[in-house]
Amino acid sequence: MKTIILAGGFGTRLSEYTKLIPKPMVEIGGKPILWHIMNHYAHYGYKDFVVALGYKGEVIKDYFLQYYARNNDFTIDLSNGTVEYINEHTRDWRVTLVDTGAASLTGGRVKRLQHIIGDEEFMLTYGDAVTDVDISALVDHYRKAGRLATVTAVHPTARFGEIQIDHDDYVRSFKEKPQLNQGWINGGFFVLSPRVFDYIDGDLTTFEAEPLERLAAEGQLTAYRHEGFWQCMDTARDRDLLNKMWDEGRAPWRMKN
């Protein structure tokens, strides 16, 4: 099963970094968040990726073109340009990179990849959020539900730190951007039938609007409730938080493959 990763947005709320690189290339622990997302899927055996490019897509293309050399030691013979790799660390990922247009909206990007997905079921997520969701359990939920689409529902994260104060003004607890236990939001990490392409009109379709609304209205959209960790990287503050978690060895999305 292929996994589409939407990586073409402008990332305007993270403009400190996205003036030069696309948002999915902003790093956590020295690796782009895009890599972290892919590594998570790969942990569960899903290693065939289709990356929907747009804004500064050439940066992502260059990253993967140079990935093998960047992540392995080698000897290069400058007389003829031949390269001999040593101490190789390989990843058996297949990565398809497709320019889906600079101005396409999320639904439009998905629609432009229909010829690559074909008639197979597929997964879809955004290139800016990490989680510890069990992908295998998510796929099982989708298949047991027997509907056209499943979305991972997560609890929203507070935009600011939460403190609990007693009557004497002592702070009894402090949580940095905790997950709120009330309500659910779209966390991405979809599993979809190829019939979902029929719900998308074209480039200017927002996937989260009419397509998902129609699927819900027709009883074709189910939710996989994820009570664990989920964090979107919308701002520099989010980026700093995720890097801190990684550096301190408490990143729930960290997978060993």
Side-chain angles (χ1 to χ4, degrees), residues 124-181:
L124 168 70
T125 196
Y126 307 104
D128 62 358
V130 286
T131 182
D132 60 355
V133 66
D134 185 328
I135 300 296
S136 296
L138 168 63
V139 173
D140 287 344
H141 175 94
Y142 162 79
R143 289 179 172 158
K144 288 176 182 176
R147 297 296 188 265
L148 298 184
T150 293
V151 58
T152 299
V154 300
H155 292 299
T157 303
R159 300 309 301 171
F160 302 97
E162 178 183 75
I163 58 176
Q164 293 183 356
I165 308 171
D166 67 15
H167 295 296
D168 297 318
D169 292 335
Y170 285 100
V171 174
R172 292 306 180 187
S173 73
F174 184 98
K175 294 183 180 179
E176 174 66 5
K177 296 180 67 175
Q179 284 190 311
L180 305 179
N181 291 323

Side-chain angles (χ1 to χ4, degrees), residues 21-61:
I21 60 174
K23 187 177 181 181
M25 293 302 293
V26 175
E27 293 186 349
I28 302 171
K31 297 280 190 181
I33 191 171
L34 177 61
W35 179 93
H36 289 270
I37 295 165
M38 296 167 76
N39 193 55
H40 185 81
Y41 277 100
H43 175 79
Y44 292 95
Y46 297 97
K47 304 177 182 181
D48 194 349
F49 304 99
V50 183
V51 184
L53 306 176
Y55 174 71
K56 294 191 179 297
E58 69 279 1
V59 176
I60 299 177
K61 285 185 175 181

Side-chain angles (χ1 to χ4, degrees), residues 47-226:
K47 304 177 182 181
D48 194 349
F49 304 99
V50 183
V51 184
L53 306 176
Y55 174 71
K56 294 191 179 297
E58 69 279 1
V59 176
I60 299 177
K61 285 185 175 181
D62 288 344
Y63 176 78
F64 285 105
L65 282 171
Q66 300 173 31
Y67 186 88
Y68 203 83
R70 286 175 179 265
N71 291 276
N72 289 287
D73 299 329
F74 58 85
T75 300
I76 183 169
D77 187 335
L78 296 181
S79 67
N80 55 25
T82 58
V83 176
E84 177 186 353
Y85 286 96
I86 54 178
N87 301 325
E88 293 180 86
H89 305 282
T90 62
R91 290 192 177 274
D92 56 345
W93 302 355
R94 178 181 172 86
V95 184
T96 302
L97 302 159
V98 182
D99 182 357
T100 53
S104 297
L105 302 182
T106 49
R109 297 192 189 283
V110 174
K111 183 76 169 181
R112 285 197 181 204
L113 300 173
Q114 184 172 4
H115 67 290
I116 293 174
I117 299 300
D119 296 326
E120 299 178 0
E121 295 170 333
F122 65 102
M123 288 187 280
L124 168 70
T125 196
Y126 307 104
D128 62 358
V130 286
T131 182
D132 60 355
V133 66
D134 185 328
I135 300 296
S136 296
L138 168 63
V139 173
D140 287 344
H141 175 94
Y142 162 79
R143 289 179 172 158
K144 288 176 182 176
R147 297 296 188 265
L148 298 184
T150 293
V151 58
T152 299
V154 300
H155 292 299
T157 303
R159 300 309 301 171
F160 302 97
E162 178 183 75
I163 58 176
Q164 293 183 356
I165 308 171
D166 67 15
H167 295 296
D168 297 318
D169 292 335
Y170 285 100
V171 174
R172 292 306 180 187
S173 73
F174 184 98
K175 294 183 180 179
E176 174 66 5
K177 296 180 67 175
Q179 284 190 311
L180 305 179
N181 291 323
Q182 297 179 348
W184 298 91
I185 63 171
N186 166 22
F189 298 92
F190 298 87
V191 188
L192 304 169
S193 161
R195 290 170 57 190
V196 168
F197 288 116
D198 297 335
Y199 288 74
I200 305 172
D201 291 331
D203 285 354
L204 299 183
T205 301
T206 300
F207 185 66
E208 300 77 16
E210 184 179 358
L212 287 184
E213 290 170 2
R214 281 184 56 200
L215 286 163
E218 295 174 11
Q220 291 293 338
L221 177 63
T222 64
Y224 177 75
R225 299 175 191 240
H226 177 57

